[in-house]
Amino acid sequence: LPSALRANNEVWVITGTGHHTDKASHQKSAVGGVLHSAVSDFLSAHAFTFYAGKDVNGQSGALLVVA
C-alpha cells in the first residue's frame, strides 16, 4: 500500500458490503461487511487516512486511502 500511494496519491480498496452473505449460512456477516470492517480497522491502526466510498444506494463497499 505505501508504494501504491507514493505512485498514485490515492488507492481504492474494494471490500464489498457483505450484503449478499446469507445470514443463515456458515459465513460470518457484519453490518458493512466483515472484510470492510477488518480493512478499516487495519488502516486506522496503521494511521492511514481513508474515506468510505458509497454507491447510489448508500452501500459502502470500498475505501479510498489517500497519501
Side-chain angles (χ1 to χ4, degrees):
L1 185 56
S3 62
L5 286 172
R6 280 192 297 277
N8 300 292
N9 293 320
E10 64 183 28
V11 175
W12 281 99
V13 179
I14 310 302
T15 61
T17 61
H19 73 276
H20 291 289
T21 303
D22 182 357
K23 304 301 182 229
S25 79
H26 67 284
Q27 293 178 310
K28 292 183 179 183
S29 64
V31 174
V34 174
L35 182 58
H36 189 83
S37 297
V39 172
S40 295
D41 291 347
F42 172 86
L43 294 171
S44 293
H46 291 86
F48 284 101
T49 301
F50 65 97
Y51 305 94
K54 294 190 178 188
D55 67 12
V56 296
N57 298 317
Q59 297 278 353
S60 177
L63 300 165
L64 176 63
V65 185
V66 296

